[in-house]
Amino acid sequence: MKTKAVRLYGRNDLRLETFDLPPVGEDEILAKVVCDSICMSSYKATREADVHKRVPRDIDRHPVIIGHEFAGEIVEAGSRWSHAFKPGDKFSIQPALNDPAGPVGVLSAPGYSYPYIGGDATYVVIPNTVMAGGCLLHYTGAGYYPASLAEPLSCVIGAMHANYHTTPGSYSHRMEIRDGGNMAILAGVGPMGLAAVNYAVHRTDRKPRLLVVTDIDRARLDRAAQLYSPAEAARNGIDLRYVNTGEWADPVVELKALTGGKGYDDVFVFAPVAAVIEQADALLAFDGCLNFFAGPAKAEFKASLNFYNVHYAATHVAGTSGGNTDDMKEALAMMAAGLDPAGLVTHIGGLDAVIDTTMNLPTIPGGKKLIYTHLSLPLTPVAEFAERGETNPVFAELHRLCERHHGLWNVEAETYLLAHAEDTRNNNNKNRI
């Protein structure tokens, strides 16, 4: 079986190549990748290469396939796993394996560490360590992109589960956000912030009473309010406010005023900016928890904290890097039950768009860039479908289907795209879009 994939050979050295996959062993699974959502972590891995914590040191000789937010179908299951996975089953993968059998000193994960599995490929061989760790997960919902986006959703699920609070007089930690409390999501209208808003508004087991989402970009705030509206949140018992802190002389005073001066029980920081962290610290209520979600690029990154409040107001700090398998299962269950992450998707593309997109990801505006690996398609904003549809009937239909869904990517559009765009393994260009 041949595959076509984007492989990492060294710092800023990505190559789109066709090569042979090895035969599938009795404890392995052959799978077809349908889509992969490009993550900023792939950009970081490409920049750092063999010094990255998840990338092996010998990639110049044994390159790895990139991409870790992917979904697809089972093609063939080895005898050890044929009872659990059948051809045609849809899947998602929890990539944070931390494989004990992987290279020494490397936190192994698909999309960073393996030669034959990663999201930016047409076909992959899933190694036994994935199934043995319970990290190959069934997806029973509609379409494929929700399963691909289950991984980023699991990251915000894990973050909210990781927050903790105490009871006065007791030092026992009660994990989770405070039910009925005040929550702030700072710098919160990027892709991951929107995932956090989506989850906070739609989860059923616990939720904040007040949810304040901040940014300094009015256009992004307005788009967020359209995707996850205050009216929708109110129907779920949440007072949702979108705030442009760039318009306030003293954001801390104004944000605290929204809580009646109490402060926030849970504050999530979605930008690795010292000033935002310090603002979050100043917003904490008694027993408030600050969750530093954003991953800094520099190991020496620092910010100031008020340790007087740590001592006398019982404030505390949490941080997470990815979700665990239970978080992934929760994300997939919510997707199967109808939670749609389409608001995160602003661009689609084919496998031939991966290298440029990954290398330039910080400078490409918008949210998630969704790659359909069997297609040849330049990275295209959903907002440009109408314009491109003037000369291309495929884009015209994609625009029509997205307009039926409030301008968002959707399962109907995905199904149409997969049926009408070129397979990258086919040299016939008559259907190329």
Side-chain angles (χ1 to χ4, degrees), residues 8 10-14 43 45-49 359:
L8 178 64
R11 188 167 297 178
N12 297 322
D13 186 0
L14 293 173
Y43 167 79
T46 300
R47 291 290 295 266
E48 296 176 11
M359 299 278 284

Side-chain angles (χ1 to χ4, degrees), residues 255-407:
L255 288 168
K256 270 200 168 182
L258 297 178
T259 70
K262 175 181 180 293
Y264 293 83
D265 303 290
D266 299 281
V267 182
F268 293 84
V269 176
F270 277 80
V273 177
V276 179
I277 296 171
E278 291 164 8
Q279 181 184 98
D281 181 39
L283 292 172
L284 292 174
F286 182 88
D287 192 42
C289 187
L290 186 163
N291 188 302
F292 181 51
F293 182 91
K298 297 182 178 180
E300 65 273 15
F301 178 78
K302 298 177 182 178
S304 297
L305 290 178
N306 186 324
F307 279 88
Y308 183 91
N309 287 341
V310 169
H311 188 83
Y312 288 106
T315 60
H316 27 261
V317 177
T320 50
S321 178
N324 61 28
T325 303
D326 286 340
D327 301 327
M328 279 286 292
K329 290 178 178 177
E330 183 178 347
L332 289 166
M334 292 184 76
M335 303 291 194
L339 181 74
D340 191 346
L344 305 183
V345 179
T346 58
H347 296 65
I348 63 167
L351 190 60
D352 46 356
V354 168
I355 293 177
D356 283 346
T357 301
T358 302
M359 299 278 284
N360 297 291
L361 194 57
T363 64
I364 304 174
K368 280 293 186 180
K369 284 69 182 177
L370 190 62
I371 298 297
Y372 288 93
T373 63
H374 288 260
L375 308 184
S376 179
L377 175 67
L379 189 71
T380 306
V382 175
E384 293 183 8
F385 285 177
E387 177 184 347
R388 298 192 180 219
E390 294 175 0
T391 57
N392 188 303
V394 174
F395 278 114
E397 180 63 10
L398 288 174
H399 172 65
R400 188 187 71 81
L401 292 171
C402 289
E403 285 300 291
R404 287 175 53 179
H405 295 266
H406 309 290

Side-chain angles (χ1 to χ4, degrees), residues 123-424:
Y123 293 90
V124 296
V125 174
I126 306 176
N128 180 65
T129 187
V130 175
M131 285 76 74
C135 295
L136 181 61
L137 305 172
H138 287 284
Y139 172 63
T140 59
Y144 293 92
Y145 74 85
S148 179
L149 294 173
E151 196 280 335
L153 180 60
S154 78
C155 295
V156 300
I157 289 174
M160 293 197 189
H161 291 339
N163 267 30
Y164 65 97
H165 300 279
T166 59
T167 301
S170 169
Y171 296 111
S172 296
H173 289 177
R174 291 177 288 105
M175 305 305 298
E176 263 288 3
I177 64 168
R178 190 180 298 283
D179 193 21
N182 300 325
M183 179 189 292
I185 299 177
L186 307 186
V189 292
M192 296 307 295
L194 290 177
V197 174
N198 194 7
Y199 177 66
V201 167
H202 292 106
R203 66 184 299 191
T204 57
D205 57 332
R206 63 176 56 224
K207 59 191 67 179
R209 178 194 62 81
L210 173 67
L211 173 57
V212 177
V213 183
T214 76
D215 203 85
I216 56 174
D217 187 315
R218 172 52 59 190
R220 288 177 14 133
L221 284 161
D222 289 344
R223 179 177 183 270
Q226 290 179 336
L227 295 174
Y228 310 113
S229 70
E232 179 186 5
R235 289 191 289 272
N236 291 325
I238 298 172
D239 179 6
L240 173 59
R241 317 274 188 98
Y242 290 99
V243 173
N244 186 344
T245 52
E247 298 174 351
W248 287 342
D250 193 333
V252 170
V253 170
E254 298 285 357
L255 288 168
K256 270 200 168 182
L258 297 178
T259 70
K262 175 181 180 293
Y264 293 83
D265 303 290
D266 299 281
V267 182
F268 293 84
V269 176
F270 277 80
V273 177
V276 179
I277 296 171
E278 291 164 8
Q279 181 184 98
D281 181 39
L283 292 172
L284 292 174
F286 182 88
D287 192 42
C289 187
L290 186 163
N291 188 302
F292 181 51
F293 182 91
K298 297 182 178 180
E300 65 273 15
F301 178 78
K302 298 177 182 178
S304 297
L305 290 178
N306 186 324
F307 279 88
Y308 183 91
N309 287 341
V310 169
H311 188 83
Y312 288 106
T315 60
H316 27 261
V317 177
T320 50
S321 178
N324 61 28
T325 303
D326 286 340
D327 301 327
M328 279 286 292
K329 290 178 178 177
E330 183 178 347
L332 289 166
M334 292 184 76
M335 303 291 194
L339 181 74
D340 191 346
L344 305 183
V345 179
T346 58
H347 296 65
I348 63 167
L351 190 60
D352 46 356
V354 168
I355 293 177
D356 283 346
T357 301
T358 302
M359 299 278 284
N360 297 291
L361 194 57
T363 64
I364 304 174
K368 280 293 186 180
K369 284 69 182 177
L370 190 62
I371 298 297
Y372 288 93
T373 63
H374 288 260
L375 308 184
S376 179
L377 175 67
L379 189 71
T380 306
V382 175
E384 293 183 8
F385 285 177
E387 177 184 347
R388 298 192 180 219
E390 294 175 0
T391 57
N392 188 303
V394 174
F395 278 114
E397 180 63 10
L398 288 174
H399 172 65
R400 188 187 71 81
L401 292 171
C402 289
E403 285 300 291
R404 287 175 53 179
H405 295 266
H406 309 290
L408 301 179
W409 190 240
N410 58 85
V411 171
E412 282 188 282
E414 177 182 77
T415 302
Y416 177 83
L417 176 69
L418 292 173
H420 289 84
E422 179 194 56
D423 187 311
T424 56

